[in-house]
Amino acid sequence: MDVVQAISKRRSIRKFLDKDVAGDEIDLLLEAARLAPSGLNAQPWRFRIIQNKDDITWLSREAVKGQRWVGGANIIFVCCADLTRYLEDAGASVRFLRDSGVLPPEMLAGIEEYLQKARDASSELLRGAAAANCSIAITQIMLQAVELGLGTCWIGMYDEEAIKEKFNIPEQMAVVALLAAGYPAENPGPRPRKSREEIILP
Ligand SMILES: Cc1cc2nc3c(=O)[nH]c(=O)nc-3n(C[C@H](O)[C@H](O)[C@H](O)COP(=O)(O)O)c2cc1C
């Protein structure tokens, strides 16, 4: 399968077979995430993998605002951004770029300013920037899943505090999404999309 096929075949799947996703398939999904690009190569994504049936059932209630279909997933990825390491690792990249002398000084100044802006930003802004990076990793998981014959659905509606408490997720982690995955038990058609004209600014 090539990328074009994976992109066009992907659907949000909300019904799953009672069949386990194999360990080596999970490894491939995580590898797809690991290889994602990120600003200053900071790689802020962290995943808690939930496979225990009771935990998935717990997740399918108030934690996802009553989206009961979540209970049929075989795996839930709790997708987090490490907000502390995000800034530290971005800083380390800037130091590396500076010390290795690979960047012209005017570009280095721009990068240092970009990083300082992130350091001075409100926690909400920082969270948004880190979440944007994590979204790329999650998208790569979704596309790799298509090639493996797996279905996924991004879950954006959830109770972050309840989930962090239940799964002992450290304070500096922002939960930026949940991703349900498993073997699909449905084959939905494509959802509507805006036309090309609608997404091109004049
Ligand atoms: C940021 C984001 C949040 C979403 N949150 C939910 C959700 O909480 N529950 C759900 O059933 N689907 C959710 N979805 C899936 C969308 O409904 C779905 O992607 C959209 O309707 C297009 O359908 P498709 O993915 O099959 O192309 C979310 C998708 C994204 C990208």
Side-chain angles (χ1 to χ4, degrees), residues 10-12 14 67 69 153-157 191 193:
R10 188 208 55 77
R11 301 279 181 273
S12 288
R14 300 180 181 85
Q67 301 188 71
W69 64 266
C153 187
W154 189 307
I155 303 163
M157 216 166 50
R191 301 274 304 139
R193 287 296 191 267

Side-chain angles (χ1 to χ4, degrees), residues 6-33:
I7 290 171
S8 65
K9 270 189 72 176
R10 188 208 55 77
R11 301 279 181 273
S12 288
I13 297 298
R14 300 180 181 85
K15 286 194 182 119
F16 299 93
L17 298 177
D18 186 14
K19 177 179 173 188
D20 285 345
V21 178
D24 55 347
E25 292 172 324
I26 298 172
D27 288 347
L28 281 168
L29 298 177
L30 289 172
E31 187 63 0

